[in-house]
């Protein structure tokens, strides 16, 4: 049964399934405007997800063809996947931050197998064992890359400019750039009184930036053509503090459930990452590769039980934390391959 929640004040959420994923669902938000309904994110590109989205809209008396616009918090396929199908059906515009639009464009234009080569090379530099890298080489040789999600995601029609109000008739929805989870992640601040008169500064559509119980993945920004050493964790922590200062009355995230008191959740996440950084410093009394660090970090299950794809994500997150230590002057990168980090 499709789950639809009325958040009041012309805002609803539809729980759209993510196939074969422990997250379970993406909360696609519907915002009523004077020019028609606007979606915030759309869900995974999958027939069952599409059926759930359309059923949820139908239950609200809205046809997909009625959708006026689509605002994307970030480019990941559980958020942006169905945007193209919504636009094809309704003629709606799609808006996204330029940094994530660049990721979509780059992915669409690249030869598919290049991404497997890039991932294999990145894992090799991170110290992954040969048996972990071998399946990527095999998938590259057999052309399996074409079936992966996100390779032909829809290009947006509009750019979300940080600090600006979006062009939504009758609503004040302001874009807040919150990089970290992706380079172009945005939160969306609804600058209106809370419908239940809760104290605070409007409501916040937080995407994956701020979730009630989950710590969002902070990995490396992926660009095979850019050798810039980015600091995604630093970006994320700075973005968190901005959202904490905003103090919205309620947070409407893209997963789990709506919650109040953003500032408390921000403090929890800042403390979590500070604890992780402190723990990594203790590990780096000897030089370690990102893979070795990931093996030793605490996850939601033992390393031996972490699935193949999740290990890739874990190694990326480990390296994001290692880069942060280097940026803070607490660690350094040693020359040579694979890459090794050590405390200073």
């Amino acid at each position: 049964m499709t789950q639809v929640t009325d958040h009041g004040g012309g805002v609803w959420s539809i729980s759209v399934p993510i196939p074969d994923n422990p997250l379970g669902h993406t909360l696609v938000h519907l915002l009523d405007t004077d020019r028609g309904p606007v979606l915030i994110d759309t869900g995974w590109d999958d027939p069952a997800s599409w059926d759930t989205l359309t059923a949820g809209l139908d239950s609200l008396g809205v046809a997909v063809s009625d959708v006026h616009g689509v605002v994307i918090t970030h480019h990941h396929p559980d958020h942006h996947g169905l945007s193209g199908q919504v636009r094809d059906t309704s003629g709606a515009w799609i808006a996204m931050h330029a940094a994530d639009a660049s990721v979509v464009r780059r992915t669409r234009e690249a030869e598919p197998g290049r991404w497997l080569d890039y991932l294999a090379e990145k894992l090799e530099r991170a110290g992954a064992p040969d048996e972990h890298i071998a399946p990527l080489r095999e998938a590259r040789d057999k052309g399996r890359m074409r079936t992966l999600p996100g390779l032909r995601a829809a290009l947006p029609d509009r750019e979300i400019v940080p600090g600006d109000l979006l062009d939504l008739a009758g609503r004040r929805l302001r874009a807040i750039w919150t990089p970290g989870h992706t380079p172009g992640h945005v939160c969306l601040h609804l600058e209106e009184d809370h419908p239940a008169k809760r104290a605070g500064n409007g409501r916040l559509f937080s995407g994956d930036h701020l979730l009630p119980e989950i710590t969002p993945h902070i990995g490396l920004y992926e660009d095979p053509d850019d050798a810039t050493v980015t600091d995604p964790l630093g970006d994320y922590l700075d973005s968190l503090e901005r959202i904490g200062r905003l103090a919205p009355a309620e947070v409407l995230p893209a997963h789990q459930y709506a919650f109040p008191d953003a500032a408390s959740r921000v403090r929890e996440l800042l403390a979590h990452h500070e604890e992780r950084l402190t723990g990594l410093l203790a590990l780096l009394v000897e030089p370690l590769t990102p893979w070795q660090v990931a093996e030793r970090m605490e996850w939601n299950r033992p390393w031996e039980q972490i699935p193949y794809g999740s290990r890739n994500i874990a190694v990326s997150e480990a390296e994001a934390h290692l880069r942060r230590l280097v940026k803070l002057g607490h660690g350094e990168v040693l020359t040579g391959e694979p890459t090794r980090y050590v405390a200073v």
Side-chain angles (χ1 to χ4, degrees), residues 248-298:
E250 187 175 27
V251 179
L252 302 172
H255 302 287
Q256 297 190 302
Y257 51 84
F259 63 99
D261 199 359
S264 291
R265 183 60 181 145
V266 164
R267 287 193 295 270
E268 290 174 359
L269 289 167
L270 290 172
H272 165 79
H273 286 289
E274 183 63 31
E275 183 179 342
R276 276 207 149 176
L277 290 171
T278 301
L280 288 189
L281 270 180
L283 289 177
L284 294 178
V285 292
E286 60 174 320
L288 295 173
T289 67
W291 182 276
Q292 290 170 327
V293 169
E295 287 180 314
R296 291 162 172 78
M297 287 174 71
E298 183 176 338

Side-chain angles (χ1 to χ4, degrees), residues 24 51 58 91 102 115 119 123 129 157 160 162 171 184 226 252 284 312 321 323 337:
D51 290 345
D58 287 344
S102 177
W115 290 100
L119 180 57
L123 286 166
D157 311 287
I160 296 176
R171 310 304 294 243
D226 189 352
L252 302 172
L284 294 178
N312 296 337
H321 282 74
R323 288 188 183 185
E337 297 247 347

Side-chain angles (χ1 to χ4, degrees), residues 1-49:
M1 181 178 296
T2 304
Q3 182 178 343
V4 177
T5 302
D6 185 353
H7 297 280
V11 177
W12 297 264
S13 63
I14 303 168
S15 186
V16 177
I18 310 171
D20 302 318
N21 189 295
L23 271 176
H25 299 81
T26 300
L27 296 176
V28 173
H29 289 92
L30 174 67
L31 179 64
D32 196 20
T33 81
D34 290 349
R35 291 197 192 106
V38 168
L39 296 180
I40 298 176
D41 292 335
T42 57
W44 192 277
D45 184 6
D46 178 79
S49 303

Side-chain angles (χ1 to χ4, degrees), residues 103-116:
V103 175
V104 172
R105 187 173 296 106
R106 187 168 63 243
T107 305
R108 286 173 58 95
E109 292 172 356
E111 192 278 318
R114 186 180 181 207
W115 290 100
L116 283 176

Side-chain angles (χ1 to χ4, degrees), residues 28-91:
V28 173
H29 289 92
L30 174 67
L31 179 64
D32 196 20
T33 81
D34 290 349
R35 291 197 192 106
V38 168
L39 296 180
I40 298 176
D41 292 335
T42 57
W44 192 277
D45 184 6
D46 178 79
S49 303
W50 174 257
D51 290 345
T52 301
L53 175 63
T54 56
L57 292 172
D58 287 344
S59 73
L60 298 172
V62 175
V64 178
S65 57
D66 298 330
V67 175
H68 169 63
V70 176
V71 183
I72 299 300
T73 61
H74 62 294
H75 72 83
H76 286 165
D78 56 322
H79 297 258
H80 182 43
L82 287 171
S83 302
Q85 195 166 348
V86 171
R87 181 171 60 189
D88 290 345
T89 305
S90 65

